[in-house]
Amino acid sequence: MSVDLVEVVRSGFRECVHRGSVVILNGDGEPDIALGEVHLPIFPRSTNKPMQAITLLRNGFEPEDEAELAIATASHFGEPDHVELVQRLLDRFGFDEDQLECPPDLPSDELARARALAGQDRDKAARRIYMNCSGKHAAMLATCKINDWPTVGYLNAAHPLQQAVSATIAEITGESEVDLGIDGCGLPIVPVSLVNLARAYAAMATGEPGTPQRRVAEAIRNNPRVISGTDGPDLLTMQATPGLVCKIGADGVHAGALPDGRAFAYKIDDGHDRARMPLTQAILRRMGVEWTDAHADLATPAVLGGGARVGVIRAVPGLFG
């Protein structure tokens, strides 16, 4: 059963509570903290992206630079630098944007979205390249071309690429084979338990230099803006925690690991984004990581009333004992 993780306090009154499950692993890969349903599979959503990128490297994809590998793992905000990286990847392998099989979307960054909508009909402003998963899709097209696999229908679970992705995730996580779902971008999503998701991130963070696992971890760690965007949770968290490699997933999922192999993963039941940063900071504090005063507001975002601070969003006091 899930537990209370984050509370919203307004004027001294607990107004809302976000429930879920969280696991923190020690350096040996064993749970130090396990709250809620950490052994039951969830849909990790975009926290699976690093393992998908590992599959691409194992099957011949060779990025031009580290940023190109990072965009292949990204849930990017559709900002100009993100779009430029995806377009560069498409151009390098001879693809058009229309060959991406992710759905058209608007940028998630407010300024980028406003620019996309300016002077255009709303129905024409959405583009596949703006979709937060477009970097992954472009890298998948490239890998299909390298292996002479079909580039049409690469979303299909029976496609050789998706078969390879499923095998890689099963290997890294040790998860038993389960039925696949369909992610927001249309690709198959492999269910993984929180404890095995955390172990996968530990394996990436501690992989031998030069291995696909370590290359992906370094690309994420060194390019936090590429994998997210302006004021994105992953960008802010990695800026506040040197050495951390982490990745959010839609609907309240987050996983990460420190260089020594200690790792975490959680799922917020209602998927609300406002619970992310307070919970992530509380987890890292429990792991011995202290954020500076400059990052204090990330851990306890304000609840406003009439434009003034009247409360706080925070991890439930005493959550980890």
Side-chain angles (χ1 to χ4, degrees), residues 44-68:
R45 308 297 296 273
S46 287
T47 57
N48 272 354
K49 282 178 177 171
M51 291 181 280
Q52 292 168 326
I54 289 168
T55 306
L56 305 185
L57 292 176
R58 288 179 171 182
N59 285 274
F61 173 65
E62 191 55 45
E64 191 170 71
D65 53 29
E66 199 175 63
E68 198 171 86

mmCIF file of all heavy atoms in Angstrom, residues 44-68:
data_model
loop_
_atom_site.group_PDB
_atom_site.id
_atom_site.type_symbol
_atom_site.label_atom_id
_atom_site.label_comp_id
_atom_site.label_asym_id
_atom_site.label_seq_id
_atom_site.Cartn_x
_atom_site.Cartn_y
_atom_site.Cartn_z
ATOM 1 N N PRO A 44 7.499 3.085 -15.940
ATOM 2 C CA PRO A 44 8.508 4.105 -15.612
ATOM 3 C C PRO A 44 8.471 5.328 -16.517
ATOM 4 O O PRO A 44 9.130 6.325 -16.224
ATOM 5 C CB PRO A 44 9.838 3.350 -15.785
ATOM 6 C CG PRO A 44 9.479 1.906 -15.700
ATOM 7 C CD PRO A 44 8.127 1.812 -16.314
ATOM 8 N N ARG A 45 7.736 5.214 -17.617
ATOM 9 C CA ARG A 45 7.648 6.310 -18.582
ATOM 10 C C ARG A 45 9.048 6.748 -19.015
ATOM 11 O O ARG A 45 9.883 5.924 -19.350
ATOM 12 C CB ARG A 45 6.802 7.457 -18.013
ATOM 13 C CG ARG A 45 5.429 7.022 -17.490
ATOM 14 C CD ARG A 45 4.534 6.447 -18.587
ATOM 15 N NE ARG A 45 4.221 7.443 -19.595
ATOM 16 C CZ ARG A 45 3.195 8.301 -19.501
ATOM 17 N NH1 ARG A 45 2.397 8.275 -18.435
ATOM 18 N NH2 ARG A 45 2.949 9.151 -20.466
ATOM 19 N N SER A 46 9.368 8.019 -18.950
ATOM 20 C CA SER A 46 10.642 8.472 -19.523
ATOM 21 C C SER A 46 11.859 8.118 -18.689
ATOM 22 O O SER A 46 12.987 8.331 -19.141
ATOM 23 C CB SER A 46 10.607 9.981 -19.764
ATOM 24 O OG SER A 46 9.785 10.282 -20.874
ATOM 25 N N THR A 47 11.682 7.563 -17.495
ATOM 26 C CA THR A 47 12.860 7.079 -16.792
ATOM 27 C C THR A 47 13.450 5.855 -17.486
ATOM 28 O O THR A 47 14.585 5.462 -17.193
ATOM 29 C CB THR A 47 12.555 6.734 -15.321
ATOM 30 O OG1 THR A 47 11.512 5.786 -15.249
ATOM 31 C CG2 THR A 47 12.188 7.981 -14.537
ATOM 32 N N ASN A 48 12.711 5.263 -18.423
ATOM 33 C CA ASN A 48 13.256 4.177 -19.245
ATOM 34 C C ASN A 48 14.154 4.689 -20.373
ATOM 35 O O ASN A 48 14.883 3.911 -20.993
ATOM 36 C CB ASN A 48 12.130 3.344 -19.862
ATOM 37 C CG ASN A 48 11.673 2.203 -18.966
ATOM 38 O OD1 ASN A 48 12.256 1.951 -17.914
ATOM 39 N ND2 ASN A 48 10.628 1.509 -19.377
ATOM 40 N N LYS A 49 14.120 5.980 -20.675
ATOM 41 C CA LYS A 49 14.851 6.503 -21.827
ATOM 42 C C LYS A 49 16.356 6.218 -21.797
ATOM 43 O O LYS A 49 16.945 5.888 -22.838
ATOM 44 C CB LYS A 49 14.603 8.008 -21.982
ATOM 45 C CG LYS A 49 13.253 8.326 -22.623
ATOM 46 C CD LYS A 49 13.021 9.817 -22.711
ATOM 47 C CE LYS A 49 11.694 10.092 -23.415
ATOM 48 N NZ LYS A 49 11.307 11.517 -23.353
ATOM 49 N N PRO A 50 17.019 6.349 -20.653
ATOM 50 C CA PRO A 50 18.448 6.014 -20.659
ATOM 51 C C PRO A 50 18.720 4.575 -21.077
ATOM 52 O O PRO A 50 19.700 4.311 -21.777
ATOM 53 C CB PRO A 50 18.866 6.269 -19.205
ATOM 54 C CG PRO A 50 17.924 7.320 -18.728
ATOM 55 C CD PRO A 50 16.614 6.966 -19.365
ATOM 56 N N MET A 51 17.853 3.646 -20.686
ATOM 57 C CA MET A 51 18.048 2.244 -21.082
ATOM 58 C C MET A 51 17.742 2.048 -22.566
ATOM 59 O O MET A 51 18.371 1.222 -23.235
ATOM 60 C CB MET A 51 17.198 1.332 -20.202
ATOM 61 C CG MET A 51 17.694 1.276 -18.773
ATOM 62 S SD MET A 51 16.737 0.173 -17.701
ATOM 63 C CE MET A 51 15.325 1.212 -17.312
ATOM 64 N N GLN A 52 16.806 2.815 -23.080
ATOM 65 C CA GLN A 52 16.567 2.786 -24.525
ATOM 66 C C GLN A 52 17.796 3.305 -25.269
ATOM 67 O O GLN A 52 18.195 2.747 -26.301
ATOM 68 C CB GLN A 52 15.322 3.619 -24.863
ATOM 69 C CG GLN A 52 14.033 2.998 -24.341
ATOM 70 C CD GLN A 52 12.848 3.952 -24.413
ATOM 71 O OE1 GLN A 52 12.987 5.170 -24.246
ATOM 72 N NE2 GLN A 52 11.657 3.410 -24.649
ATOM 73 N N ALA A 53 18.425 4.364 -24.728
ATOM 74 C CA ALA A 53 19.623 4.908 -25.371
ATOM 75 C C ALA A 53 20.789 3.924 -25.312
ATOM 76 O O ALA A 53 21.591 3.838 -26.256
ATOM 77 C CB ALA A 53 20.013 6.232 -24.708
ATOM 78 N N ILE A 54 20.901 3.183 -24.217
ATOM 79 C CA ILE A 54 21.926 2.136 -24.130
ATOM 80 C C ILE A 54 21.737 1.128 -25.259
ATOM 81 O O ILE A 54 22.711 0.693 -25.899
ATOM 82 C CB ILE A 54 21.871 1.447 -22.755
ATOM 83 C CG1 ILE A 54 22.371 2.399 -21.666
ATOM 84 C CG2 ILE A 54 22.693 0.159 -22.747
ATOM 85 C CD1 ILE A 54 22.086 1.924 -20.260
ATOM 86 N N THR A 55 20.501 0.776 -25.525
ATOM 87 C CA THR A 55 20.204 -0.154 -26.622
ATOM 88 C C THR A 55 20.699 0.396 -27.953
ATOM 89 O O THR A 55 21.274 -0.342 -28.763
ATOM 90 C CB THR A 55 18.689 -0.407 -26.713
ATOM 91 O OG1 THR A 55 18.195 -0.839 -25.449
ATOM 92 C CG2 THR A 55 18.375 -1.464 -27.760
ATOM 93 N N LEU A 56 20.499 1.677 -28.185
ATOM 94 C CA LEU A 56 20.929 2.282 -29.445
ATOM 95 C C LEU A 56 22.440 2.196 -29.597
ATOM 96 O O LEU A 56 22.955 1.846 -30.672
ATOM 97 C CB LEU A 56 20.463 3.736 -29.514
ATOM 98 C CG LEU A 56 18.963 3.998 -29.321
ATOM 99 C CD1 LEU A 56 18.643 5.475 -29.535
ATOM 100 C CD2 LEU A 56 18.119 3.122 -30.225
ATOM 101 N N LEU A 57 23.172 2.513 -28.522
ATOM 102 C CA LEU A 57 24.633 2.413 -28.581
ATOM 103 C C LEU A 57 25.081 0.983 -28.838
ATOM 104 O O LEU A 57 26.031 0.744 -29.603
ATOM 105 C CB LEU A 57 25.238 2.921 -27.271
ATOM 106 C CG LEU A 57 25.095 4.420 -26.980
ATOM 107 C CD1 LEU A 57 25.670 4.731 -25.596
ATOM 108 C CD2 LEU A 57 25.780 5.265 -28.043
ATOM 109 N N ARG A 58 24.424 0.033 -28.208
ATOM 110 C CA ARG A 58 24.786 -1.373 -28.393
ATOM 111 C C ARG A 58 24.515 -1.851 -29.820
ATOM 112 O O ARG A 58 25.095 -2.857 -30.262
ATOM 113 C CB ARG A 58 23.995 -2.251 -27.422
ATOM 114 C CG ARG A 58 24.441 -2.145 -25.972
ATOM 115 C CD ARG A 58 23.584 -3.037 -25.089
ATOM 116 N NE ARG A 58 24.086 -3.130 -23.730
ATOM 117 C CZ ARG A 58 23.533 -3.874 -22.785
ATOM 118 N NH1 ARG A 58 22.443 -4.606 -23.063
ATOM 119 N NH2 ARG A 58 24.051 -3.917 -21.567
ATOM 120 N N ASN A 59 23.660 -1.132 -30.524
ATOM 121 C CA ASN A 59 23.300 -1.539 -31.877
ATOM 122 C C ASN A 59 23.825 -0.576 -32.938
ATOM 123 O O ASN A 59 23.240 -0.442 -34.011
ATOM 124 C CB ASN A 59 21.779 -1.686 -31.986
ATOM 125 C CG ASN A 59 21.271 -2.953 -31.318
ATOM 126 O OD1 ASN A 59 21.244 -4.024 -31.923
ATOM 127 N ND2 ASN A 59 20.880 -2.841 -30.050
ATOM 128 N N GLY A 60 24.957 0.056 -32.639
ATOM 129 C CA GLY A 60 25.692 0.772 -33.673
ATOM 130 C C GLY A 60 25.490 2.260 -33.750
ATOM 131 O O GLY A 60 26.187 2.939 -34.517
ATOM 132 N N PHE A 61 24.541 2.822 -32.991
ATOM 133 C CA PHE A 61 24.360 4.273 -33.021
ATOM 134 C C PHE A 61 25.577 4.946 -32.390
ATOM 135 O O PHE A 61 25.970 4.617 -31.279
ATOM 136 C CB PHE A 61 23.097 4.666 -32.263
ATOM 137 C CG PHE A 61 22.916 6.153 -32.101
ATOM 138 C CD1 PHE A 61 22.708 6.954 -33.217
ATOM 139 C CD2 PHE A 61 22.956 6.752 -30.852
ATOM 140 C CE1 PHE A 61 22.543 8.333 -33.077
ATOM 141 C CE2 PHE A 61 22.791 8.114 -30.693
ATOM 142 C CZ PHE A 61 22.587 8.907 -31.812
ATOM 143 N N GLU A 62 26.171 5.866 -33.097
ATOM 144 C CA GLU A 62 27.340 6.581 -32.591
ATOM 145 C C GLU A 62 27.071 8.079 -32.681
ATOM 146 O O GLU A 62 27.079 8.664 -33.772
ATOM 147 C CB GLU A 62 28.587 6.228 -33.379
ATOM 148 C CG GLU A 62 29.875 6.725 -32.741
ATOM 149 C CD GLU A 62 30.046 6.246 -31.299
ATOM 150 O OE1 GLU A 62 29.807 5.043 -31.027
ATOM 151 O OE2 GLU A 62 30.402 7.082 -30.445
ATOM 152 N N PRO A 63 26.778 8.724 -31.563
ATOM 153 C CA PRO A 63 26.482 10.157 -31.586
ATOM 154 C C PRO A 63 27.694 10.970 -32.009
ATOM 155 O O PRO A 63 28.837 10.578 -31.774
ATOM 156 C CB PRO A 63 26.076 10.460 -30.140
ATOM 157 C CG PRO A 63 26.716 9.392 -29.335
ATOM 158 C CD PRO A 63 26.749 8.175 -30.193
ATOM 159 N N GLU A 64 27.413 12.108 -32.614
ATOM 160 C CA GLU A 64 28.483 13.004 -33.043
ATOM 161 C C GLU A 64 29.199 13.611 -31.846
ATOM 162 O O GLU A 64 30.400 13.879 -31.888
ATOM 163 C CB GLU A 64 27.903 14.101 -33.931
ATOM 164 C CG GLU A 64 28.923 14.933 -34.651
ATOM 165 C CD GLU A 64 28.285 15.834 -35.688
ATOM 166 O OE1 GLU A 64 27.619 16.805 -35.274
ATOM 167 O OE2 GLU A 64 28.440 15.555 -36.890
ATOM 168 N N ASP A 65 28.463 13.844 -30.771
ATOM 169 C CA ASP A 65 29.045 14.370 -29.541
ATOM 170 C C ASP A 65 28.140 13.983 -28.380
ATOM 171 O O ASP A 65 27.098 13.354 -28.560
ATOM 172 C CB ASP A 65 29.236 15.894 -29.610
ATOM 173 C CG ASP A 65 27.961 16.638 -29.994
ATOM 174 O OD1 ASP A 65 26.858 16.135 -29.689
ATOM 175 O OD2 ASP A 65 28.063 17.723 -30.591
ATOM 176 N N GLU A 66 28.544 14.353 -27.175
ATOM 177 C CA GLU A 66 27.804 13.950 -25.986
ATOM 178 C C GLU A 66 26.407 14.565 -25.948
ATOM 179 O O GLU A 66 25.452 13.947 -25.453
ATOM 180 C CB GLU A 66 28.598 14.339 -24.745
ATOM 181 C CG GLU A 66 28.177 13.604 -23.493
ATOM 182 C CD GLU A 66 29.072 13.930 -22.320
ATOM 183 O OE1 GLU A 66 29.106 15.106 -21.908
ATOM 184 O OE2 GLU A 66 29.742 12.999 -21.815
ATOM 185 N N ALA A 67 26.267 15.789 -26.450
ATOM 186 C CA ALA A 67 24.960 16.440 -26.454
ATOM 187 C C ALA A 67 23.968 15.661 -27.317
ATOM 188 O O ALA A 67 22.771 15.601 -26.999
ATOM 189 C CB ALA A 67 25.087 17.878 -26.951
ATOM 190 N N GLU A 68 24.452 15.088 -28.406
ATOM 191 C CA GLU A 68 23.571 14.307 -29.275
ATOM 192 C C GLU A 68 23.098 13.039 -28.569
ATOM 193 O O GLU A 68 21.952 12.613 -28.754
ATOM 194 C CB GLU A 68 24.297 13.966 -30.578
ATOM 195 C CG GLU A 68 23.368 13.548 -31.700
ATOM 196 C CD GLU A 68 24.107 13.424 -33.023
ATOM 197 O OE1 GLU A 68 24.669 12.345 -33.291
ATOM 198 O OE2 GLU A 68 24.134 14.416 -33.788
#
